[in-house]
Amino acid sequence: MGLKPLHYKIIRFSECRALRRWRKLHMAYRCEIFDSMTWKWRSLKHVALGDCVFLTNPQPVTKSGSIYMLLTNNNILKFDADSEIWEVFSSPIPYDESRTPTELVKYGGKLGLACKPSNANGYWDIWVSKKDKLWEKEVDVAVESNSERERLTALYDSHTSVMVDCETLLFYRLKQHDNNMISKIVLTDIPYQIFSFQSDFEPSDLK
């Protein structure tokens, strides 16, 4: 939230009993917030989603004081840390039962969405959120994977993608189709979850 003085908030969502509305079950999440100014936790209004809609992203994307999380219907939940108000808005990828691989990412300091269409031949498309929640496809960027098992985990920066293939981490250079692999790291075991953490080598979103 700020550096002088240091001010931060921690947002915690936890599942609670589903709400029944019009004979449909709506998933609800308990929302709690920790404020470093008061050094206390407090509860906010529950976040109620649509029928059979859940949070999917184990790792949210943060940008300019807001937290973004992908939902199972491909919509996006936004929580504004300043106003402490949440809202849901649409993504450019319509939901389909085949569950097209989709990941929420940060691209060039902006909110991005990566998806792998069924006819993409191993390529992931990148969509970037512009003003007023309008999306534009990055026509000059395609995240390539060399295997159907590889899944995009994050964009390390605007030029590098991080893919996972079982117990292997692979770093690819974007916008380069030949010899685009930068590094391959074989892990000792198959990870249950990979959490992307970046230090301050790039400008932060602190206000």
Side-chain angles (χ1 to χ4, degrees), residues 13-186:
F13 291 100
S14 54
E15 292 184 11
C16 57
R17 187 174 180 179
L19 305 175
R20 183 176 290 277
R21 294 177 179 174
W22 302 103
R23 298 182 180 179
K24 293 183 178 181
L25 288 178
H26 292 252
M27 189 62 204
Y29 288 86
R30 184 180 297 105
C31 182
E32 299 165 293
I33 187 166
F34 176 86
D35 195 323
S36 65
M37 289 297 189
T38 61
W39 209 253
K40 292 180 180 179
W41 284 94
R42 52 189 169 86
S43 296
L44 302 180
K45 185 179 179 180
H46 286 8
V47 175
L49 303 177
D51 182 32
C52 297
V53 177
F54 301 87
L55 294 173
T56 65
N57 233 35
Q59 183 172 265
V61 171
T62 58
K63 179 186 177 298
S64 302
S66 294
I67 302 170
Y68 300 87
M69 288 164 280
L70 190 64
L71 305 177
T72 50
N73 62 356
N74 280 355
N75 287 341
I76 297 169
L77 173 69
K78 174 185 176 181
F79 184 89
D80 186 282
D82 281 325
S83 63
E84 299 181 0
I85 295 175
W86 62 272
E87 64 173 312
V88 174
F89 61 94
S90 300
S91 79
I93 310 302
Y95 172 76
D96 63 80
E97 294 184 356
S98 63
R99 294 296 297 148
T100 299
T102 308
E103 293 290 342
L104 208 58
V105 295
K106 202 168 186 178
Y107 179 79
K110 299 178 181 179
L111 178 68
L113 193 69
C115 72
K116 185 181 181 182
S118 58
N119 59 349
N121 297 322
Y123 284 91
W124 291 68
D125 293 332
I126 302 292
W127 293 77
V128 176
S129 178
K130 306 294 183 179
K131 292 181 63 177
D132 301 323
K133 302 182 181 65
L134 297 177
W135 296 83
E136 289 185 8
K137 185 178 177 181
E138 292 292 312
V139 295
D140 295 328
V141 178
V143 182
E144 183 179 6
S145 58
N146 293 333
S147 168
E148 284 298 322
R149 299 184 308 174
E150 293 178 10
R151 184 174 183 89
L152 179 68
T153 296
L155 296 182
Y156 180 76
D157 54 32
S158 300
H159 308 285
T160 312
S161 64
V162 184
M163 313 291 289
V164 179
D165 182 358
C166 295
E167 73 285 357
T168 307
L169 281 178
L170 303 109
F171 293 78
Y172 288 107
R173 181 71 66 191
L174 301 181
K175 303 181 182 180
Q176 181 177 321
H177 299 289
D178 297 324
N179 299 319
N180 63 335
M181 184 181 293
I182 302 172
S183 179
K184 181 177 180 180
I185 302 173
V186 179

Side-chain angles (χ1 to χ4, degrees), residues 177-204:
H177 299 289
D178 297 324
N179 299 319
N180 63 335
M181 184 181 293
I182 302 172
S183 179
K184 181 177 180 180
I185 302 173
V186 179
L187 307 175
T188 57
D189 202 353
I190 299 177
Y192 174 75
Q193 181 177 326
I194 294 176
F195 181 82
S196 175
F197 176 81
Q198 293 184 342
S199 65
D200 56 356
F201 71 95
E202 289 185 343
S204 67

